[in-house]
């Protein structure tokens, strides 16, 4: 089965404070950090939207692992040329780590700190686009404000919100990791026939119809 990877903030070298050099090991083992391909009737674009800063990082010293959410100008110029050869009736699926739309913000401020989002949106204007992102370790789906042809699916993680050690219980009372929105640790499955795309979320080690768990935060233990 072929795998197509994209790079996230934790895939950078924490001992390096240069964005390009911090991705060296990733490129050596997994390949380019941005690229495109066609499978069937769909055009896929993989982008690296993590600009790794890592203040203080150097050989032998782990830096602050800080970063900016940004698609480099070099990627933007490449993307313009890449999409110039794609018919606007063709579905485009964009893979990138950090989301366009921030599920944690209030409705009046729905966008996160994607510093050059407008440049990316200008490239995608007029295309039928699904953005697949991660980073927040929970699930949300949203249309981009003002662009009904662009939808983002921010997908949960197979490790859940492991830093919170959030637990839920399936029918056998066996613990499983959960995301911060209550959805189980898991992954999304996309099924594509021609230009028709359907999808569902699949939790790990739970029945297929388990989509989230609700918790009583007033309880002493949950």
């Amino acid at each position: 089965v072929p795998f197509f990877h994209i790079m996230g903030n934790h895939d950078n070298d924490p001992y390096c404070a240069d964005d390009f050099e911090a991705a060296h090991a990733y490129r050596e083992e997994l390949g380019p950090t941005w690229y495109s391909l066609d499978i069937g009737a769909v055009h896929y674009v993989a982008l690296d939207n993590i600009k790794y800063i890592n203040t203080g990082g150097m050989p032998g010293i782990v830096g602050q692992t800080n970063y900016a959410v940004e698609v480099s100008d070099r990627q933007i110029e490449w993307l313009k040329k890449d999409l110039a050869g794609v018919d606007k009736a063709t579905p485009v699926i964009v893979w990138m780590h950090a989301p366009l739309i921030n599920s944690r913000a209030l409705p009046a401020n729905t966008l996160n700190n994607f510093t050059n989002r407008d440049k990316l949106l200008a490239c995608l204007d007029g295309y039928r686009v699904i953005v697949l992102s991660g980073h927040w370790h929970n699930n949300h789906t949203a249309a981009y404000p003002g662009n009904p042809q662009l939808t983002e699916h921010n997908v949960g993680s197979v490790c859940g919100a492991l830093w919170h050690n959030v637990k839920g219980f399936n029918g056998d009372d066996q613990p499983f990791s959960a995301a911060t929105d209550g959805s189980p640790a898991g992954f999304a499955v996309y099924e594509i026939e021609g230009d028709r795309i359907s999808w569902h979320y699949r939790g790990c080690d739970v029945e297929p119809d388990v989509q989230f768990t609700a918790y009583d935060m007033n309880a002493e233990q949950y």
Side-chain angles (χ1 to χ4, degrees):
V1 177
F3 282 79
F4 302 99
H5 300 269
I6 61 167
M7 190 171 192
N9 51 299
H10 293 294
D11 297 317
N12 287 281
D13 184 348
Y15 298 101
C16 184
D18 177 86
D19 181 61
F20 183 79
E21 291 301 322
H24 174 75
Y26 182 98
R27 290 191 299 269
E28 286 287 303
E29 298 298 328
L30 297 175
T33 60
W34 39 280
Y35 55 91
S36 69
L37 66 151
D38 294 303
I39 302 177
V42 179
H43 185 68
Y44 297 85
V45 177
L47 298 174
D48 176 9
N49 69 344
I50 300 295
K51 181 181 179 181
Y52 200 58
I53 300 169
N54 195 31
T55 303
M58 62 184 68
I61 299 177
V62 173
Q64 296 179 18
T65 66
N66 51 318
Y67 56 89
V69 179
E70 178 180 309
V71 175
S72 66
D73 287 342
R74 186 178 180 191
Q75 288 182 78
I76 292 292
E77 292 307 311
W78 165 81
L79 183 59
K80 291 177 182 177
K81 296 175 183 178
D82 177 72
L83 292 177
V86 177
D87 189 287
K88 290 199 172 182
T90 299
V92 176
I93 294 181
V94 176
W95 301 317
M96 59 187 183
H97 184 68
L100 276 172
I101 303 171
N102 186 0
S103 67
R104 295 183 174 182
L106 296 173
N109 181 25
T110 58
L111 306 179
N112 62 21
N113 61 338
F114 200 132
T115 58
N116 63 344
R117 177 188 299 104
D118 290 344
K119 288 185 178 181
L120 176 58
L121 289 172
C123 293
L124 300 174
D125 186 50
Y127 292 91
R128 298 167 52 197
V129 180
I130 294 177
V131 175
L132 300 184
S133 60
H135 195 50
W136 290 125
H137 293 242
N138 58 32
N139 286 278
H140 70 271
T141 299
Y144 191 84
N147 187 344
Q149 290 204 102
L150 190 152
T151 302
E152 178 173 38
H153 297 176
N154 185 250
V155 181
S157 168
V158 293
C159 64
L162 74 168
W163 63 96
H164 288 306
N165 195 30
V166 178
K167 296 292 183 179
F169 294 92
N170 63 18
D172 297 324
D173 289 336
Q174 297 297 315
F176 65 92
S177 297
T180 53
D181 63 349
S183 57
F187 52 92
V189 177
Y190 285 77
E191 297 177 308
I192 300 172
E193 295 184 13
D195 63 354
R196 293 183 300 172
I197 302 171
S198 61
W199 69 287
H200 65 275
Y201 187 73
R202 184 71 171 88
C204 298
D205 300 321
V206 295
E207 293 300 317
D209 61 348
V210 175
Q211 295 293 295
F212 71 95
T213 301
Y215 301 96
D216 181 359
M217 300 300 290
N218 296 309
E220 294 182 4
Q221 185 176 3
Y222 56 91

